Amino acid sequence: MPTGITFTTVELCTYGDDITKPWFVYFDATNHSTGIIIRKQFRGGINFSNNIKERLIMGAELKLFWQEELKHG
């Protein structure tokens, strides 16, 4: 992980399980030397499904992927 940069926990945004809105996973990256905070969002195909259960499964998988990526830098 780069020095001076921290990340929040990866979260899944479902808009209260509303499938008419695009779901995504997100996290914030903070650069402590500049004070800049950037929010990153990734959809990764979650919205191809019109089924809440499938979206939750795909969202959980994408969330795990990004948690591992951030853990390993």
Side-chain angles (χ1 to χ4, degrees):
M1 185 178 318
T3 306
I5 297 177
T6 58
F7 303 97
T8 60
T9 305
V10 181
E11 299 292 336
L12 174 62
C13 178
T14 66
Y15 294 104
D17 294 343
D18 183 351
I19 61 171
T20 65
K21 295 184 178 181
W23 293 14
F24 57 90
V25 297
Y26 67 95
F27 59 88
D28 294 337
T30 303
N31 182 327
H32 294 284
S33 62
T34 64
I36 295 174
I37 301 171
I38 297 173
R39 175 158 289 175
K40 302 299 282 182
Q41 295 182 6
F42 300 94
R43 287 166 176 75
I46 297 171
N47 300 302
F48 291 143
S49 175
N50 289 325
N51 178 299
I52 291 175
K53 185 176 179 180
E54 287 178 10
R55 280 194 185 194
L56 289 171
I57 291 168
M58 293 172 71
E61 290 173 355
L62 189 58
K63 186 176 167 180
L64 283 173
F65 171 80
W66 281 107
Q67 287 171 340
E68 287 298 311
E69 287 293 303
L70 295 176
K71 186 167 91 174
H72 296 295

